Amino acid sequence: MDKSPRNFLAAALLALLVAGCAGQPGPVEREDADPQELLEQAEEQSAADAARSRLEAADILARRGNETQALDIAKAIDAGQLENEQRIRWALLLSELALDHEDDRAVIEATQLLDEDRDIATEDANILRQRRGLALGNLGEPLAATETLIALQEDTDNLDLNDAIWKQISRLGERQLDSLAADASRLMRGWTELASLQQRSGGDINRLIRLYDDWQERYSSHPAARRSPAKLDALRDLRDEQVERIAVLLPESGSLADVAGEIREGMEARHMQAVEDGESTPQITFLDSSNSDLESLYAEATMNGAQVVIGPLDKDQVSRLENRDELPLPTLALNYGQSEENQADNLFQYGLSAEDEARQVARRAYLDGHRRSAVLIPDNDWGERVGEAFRREWETQGGDVATALRYNPDASVTRAIERLLDVDGNDRARTDDIDMMFLLALPRYARQVPPTLDYYYAEELPIYGTSHLYEGRPQPDSDHDLNDVFFIDIPWLLPDAAVGGEDALPYANTYKTLSEESDPSLLKLKAMGVDAYELARRLPQIQQISGTEVFGATGTLRAQDDGRIQRTLPWAQFIDGIPQLPMQSAARGIFGDDFDDAFGEEKEEDGDDDDDES
């Protein structure tokens, strides 16, 4: 055997090569640091290093599926301490986590870097623009959301944005659509014209599809022509399910007869206007429910060929229906049952629920950044029900009821405020541990609350209320004491704050017919009749297309999973004693004075007189 050094070297080289081929190591995977250790380190680090450590911890937790904790950490990061690349990484992480967890305020905060002079990749910027648009819509800013998403589509031709754009632009009134269309691109004009077609169609699906087909020919290259928005496309399958006969179960005698009469007047007025506008309308048959049992009423409705039933109005009857497994016909009850949930298939429940309003107040106050509330409600069954609805929703959101009082409506407001806010010997309310008040009160009582707070040095405490504190007509001399109070009410009683004027209201011509001589409380019931008619026409659509919204006289209406119709009402704020558009919203509170600059200020346009579904 040859043992020369050259041969030994050759053998060694061969052995190394073979070994390398057999077990050559791949890329070394870096193990994640322990998030808890990173957070502990951050407590001892400089501000900049701490921000980087917390960002790393949040990123690791998010990748491990601990998204709630990751979101909390990301929200607490002082993003101003991060360098450009890290700031972008933070914005992408926070906006994704926040959008998934419905924390839209945090999404808006994360995307504010879009308004800064930063070097950001186009792809990253477009991701943030889309998330901003979605969050703006969720925060009740459909105009700003529409502008944001359509501007993004203008730059990207992304058809995946169609559904999000359609959801937001469908929420705009005619005046807002006209404002967007003025001097706009063909893309924007196409979207606004399509939304206007939907509104002019009312509940007539066949008419809408015909108009949409004509629109597609004129805008053949438009994103919404190349790919129909999913909810619009789904309507094609419902053309053969148009509601042609409706039976309405209302009492003609008894304690509910007067209420029923106002609701009926609203239905009939809306029906006649739809006929006049050339819409395909159902035949309506009214059945007296005063002395008839439900089985007989349903049998008569079926004999008459009804496809949908509206009613009953009586709460006890609705409670009996909701405990059944199924109803013989799709039914829109005009009240809510007493059970926690509706159990019956084919049953939808709609009414002017004060509990719905209290829940909306809780959500809005939390979005506005408040966390600890004072609650002032009347000491009666109504106050207990509505107050409990507020408390549950407020605590679900993450808020805390710091103090609560059930007051005697006929007793002194001063004494109630003293007890609620623990007024001390110096006539000064203790407000250190509260940041808002939920007020449930009728106008006479409500008007005394803000001056009493002023007297006890609590004038800065924001007040949020339901529709019940407003009589339904502008009365600046009577309501000036309510200045700065936030509240909600139906669009038909807040035309200026809700949509910018009467001409832009949902079903504007019907409104003008019904509002001429109506007391506001009666107009509310007539508006309920209008919306009941429109909901009934759309029941097949509501049943088969999840998330269907009706922009009605009593609010934005949407069926929950159990069939109960949830109303979302427009917000107003008393300014100079008159309800006006609030000076600040959740989104506007983040952008401050830059909101209108960022999204454009709505132009004043004259609305038309056509009925529309706003």
Side-chain angles (χ1 to χ4, degrees):
M1 182 180 289
D2 186 352
K3 297 183 180 180
S4 66
R6 178 175 296 179
N7 287 336
F8 272 116
L9 180 59
L13 287 172
L14 179 61
L16 285 172
L17 286 171
V18 171
C21 292
Q24 203 165 27
V28 177
E29 293 187 6
R30 178 177 63 84
E31 290 187 7
D32 286 335
D34 184 335
Q36 189 58 41
E37 290 183 4
L38 288 169
L39 295 173
E40 291 172 359
Q41 292 172 14
E43 296 297 323
E44 308 296 330
Q45 292 174 324
S46 66
D49 288 341
R52 286 192 291 271
S53 293
R54 291 182 178 119
L55 175 59
E56 187 67 24
D59 182 65
I60 293 169
L61 287 167
R63 286 188 278 111
R64 291 180 178 178
N66 299 328
E67 294 184 351
T68 302
Q69 185 181 2
L71 175 59
D72 291 339
I73 295 167
K75 287 170 62 176
I77 291 172
D78 182 359
Q81 298 292 334
L82 298 172
E83 296 178 358
N84 185 62
E85 184 177 341
Q86 297 163 336
R87 177 75 181 273
I88 295 167
R89 180 183 168 203
W90 166 81
L92 290 167
L93 176 64
L94 176 57
S95 61
E96 180 179 16
L97 292 169
L99 197 62
D100 288 344
H101 287 75
E102 300 180 357
D103 189 345
D104 299 293
R105 188 181 179 95
V107 178
I108 298 297
E109 290 174 346
T111 61
Q112 281 191 282
L113 61 75
L114 290 169
D115 307 313
E116 302 170 4
D117 185 17
R118 290 187 176 274
D119 183 16
I120 179 171
T122 301
E123 182 180 357
D124 290 340
N126 288 342
I127 290 172
L128 293 175
R129 291 167 70 189
Q130 181 173 354
R131 292 172 183 170
R132 171 184 277 187
L134 297 175
L136 285 166
N138 294 337
L139 288 171
E141 297 287 352
L143 180 61
T146 298
E147 290 178 312
T148 300
L149 294 169
I150 291 179
L152 176 58
Q153 190 171 65
E154 191 90 58
D155 293 341
T156 62
D157 194 36
N158 183 357
L159 301 186
D160 290 338
L161 295 171
N162 283 2
D163 288 345
I165 292 173
W166 183 245
K167 180 178 182 179
Q168 299 306 324
I169 202 168
S170 295
R171 293 174 169 174
L172 301 181
E174 199 68 34
R175 182 170 297 186
Q176 292 172 309
L177 292 173
D178 290 344
S179 174
L180 285 177
D183 302 321
S185 66
R186 183 169 176 79
L187 176 68
M188 177 69 83
R189 288 198 306 274
W191 277 115
T192 57
E193 186 175 329
L194 184 57
S196 294
L197 294 180
Q198 184 204 34
Q199 294 178 358
R200 291 203 299 272
S201 300
D204 189 340
I205 295 175
N206 290 325
R207 184 183 186 189
L208 174 58
I209 296 303
R210 288 195 304 270
L211 292 172
Y212 176 54
D213 290 342
D214 292 341
W215 177 91
Q216 278 185 306
E217 291 184 9
R218 288 181 285 110
Y219 286 92
S220 58
S221 62
H222 193 278
R226 287 181 281 148
R227 181 194 295 177
S228 301
K231 288 185 179 178
L232 186 55
D233 201 37
L235 292 177
R236 290 187 181 276
D237 299 330
L238 298 177
R239 283 181 294 180
D240 295 332
E241 298 186 37
Q242 191 102 339
V243 175
E244 296 178 350
R245 289 184 177 84
I246 297 175
V248 183
L249 317 182
L250 286 175
E252 296 179 7
S253 60
S255 60
L256 293 175
D258 289 342
V259 172
E262 300 298 330
I263 293 173
R264 175 171 179 165
E265 185 177 344
M267 289 184 194
E268 292 177 328
R270 176 63 196 128
H271 176 75
M272 294 306 297
Q273 186 64 56
V275 171
E276 187 176 321
D277 290 343
E279 297 179 26
S280 176
T281 57
Q283 175 184 325
I284 305 177
T285 302
F286 289 91
L287 304 178
D288 184 6
S289 63
S290 304
N291 300 306
S292 300
D293 61 80
L294 290 170
E295 286 70 20
S296 299
L297 289 167
Y298 272 104
E300 187 173 355
T302 303
M303 288 285 291
N304 289 334
Q307 299 160 279
V308 167
V309 167
I310 298 177
L313 177 61
D314 181 78
K315 194 176 189 71
D316 289 338
Q317 288 184 319
V318 178
S319 296
R320 290 200 292 274
L321 288 180
E322 72 179 355
N323 288 317
R324 298 184 179 186
D325 293 330
E326 188 176 8
L327 303 188
L329 291 170
T331 299
L332 178 71
L334 297 177
N335 210 327
Y336 296 96
Q338 297 172 342
S339 300
E340 284 292 322
E341 288 188 348
N342 171 32
Q343 304 293 329
D345 288 339
N346 261 352
L347 176 62
F348 295 83
Q349 301 177 28
Y350 162 63
L352 305 180
S353 166
E355 289 90 334
D356 256 1
E357 294 186 24
R359 286 185 282 267
Q360 185 178 341
V361 170
R363 291 190 292 270
R364 170 60 185 267
Y366 193 87
L367 277 174
D368 285 351
H370 304 301
R371 297 295 180 267
R372 293 179 60 79
S373 68
V375 174
L376 188 59
I377 56 176
D379 189 11
N380 51 38
D381 290 342
W382 176 63
E384 182 177 2
R385 291 197 318 270
V386 179
E388 180 64 12
F390 172 83
R391 183 192 65 79
R392 286 188 179 186
E393 185 65 31
W394 182 244
E395 292 178 350
T396 297
Q397 295 294 320
D400 177 52
V401 176
T403 178
L405 180 73
R406 296 171 63 176
Y407 65 86
N408 180 349
D410 297 319
S412 165
V413 174
T414 299
R415 180 59 183 145
I417 296 298
E418 288 175 347
R419 292 169 57 200
L420 178 70
L421 301 183
D422 193 20
V423 174
D424 62 21
N426 296 318
D427 288 340
R428 185 174 293 275
R430 300 181 187 275
T431 59
D432 293 342
D433 62 343
I434 59 174
D435 55 19
M436 63 83 64
M437 175 188 288
F438 171 59
L439 174 63
L440 178 66
L442 299 179
R444 182 184 64 82
Y445 194 96
R447 291 175 183 135
Q448 301 175 64
V449 173
T452 307
L453 292 179
D454 290 351
Y455 180 79
Y456 289 124
Y457 303 97
E459 64 275 4
E460 298 300 322
L461 185 66
I463 301 174
Y464 291 75
T466 61
S467 65
H468 307 89
L469 57 75
Y470 178 51
E471 287 189 358
R473 62 168 66 92
Q475 301 178 91
D477 291 339
S478 299
D479 289 336
H480 70 276
D481 282 334
L482 288 170
N483 279 346
D484 297 329
V485 171
F486 297 94
F487 74 104
I488 51 180
D489 210 330
I490 71 170
W492 272 22
L493 293 185
L494 295 174
D496 292 326
V499 293
E502 292 181 358
D503 290 339
L505 281 170
Y507 322 119
N509 282 338
T510 307
Y511 165 82
K512 292 173 184 176
T513 299
L514 293 172
S515 64
E516 289 179 355
E517 298 180 359
S518 290
D519 177 271
S521 62
L522 299 182
L523 183 60
K524 234 175 200 181
L525 292 172
K526 293 171 183 175
M528 180 179 168
V530 168
D531 282 351
Y533 174 83
E534 291 296 333
L535 285 167
R537 295 173 74 187
R538 293 167 170 80
L539 272 193
Q541 178 181 342
I542 292 170
Q543 286 178 305
Q544 298 184 43
I545 304 177
S546 176
T548 294
E549 293 178 328
V550 177
F551 303 97
T554 62
T556 300
L557 311 174
R558 178 174 178 168
Q560 297 176 294
D561 291 341
D562 69 347
R564 290 181 174 174
I565 303 296
Q566 181 182 57
R567 292 185 306 140
T568 300
L569 306 182
W571 281 93
Q573 182 181 21
F574 283 101
I575 300 172
D576 297 327
I578 297 174
Q580 299 183 35
L581 185 70
M583 298 177 66
Q584 184 164 306
S585 66
R588 290 173 183 268
I590 299 169
F591 285 96
D593 295 336
D594 297 329
F595 185 88
D596 289 325
D597 293 335
F599 302 107
E601 193 167 355
E602 185 181 343
K603 302 172 186 175
E604 291 294 327
E605 299 283 346
D606 291 331
D608 58 44
D609 291 336
D610 292 337
D611 267 23
D612 61 0
E613 181 194 340
S614 180

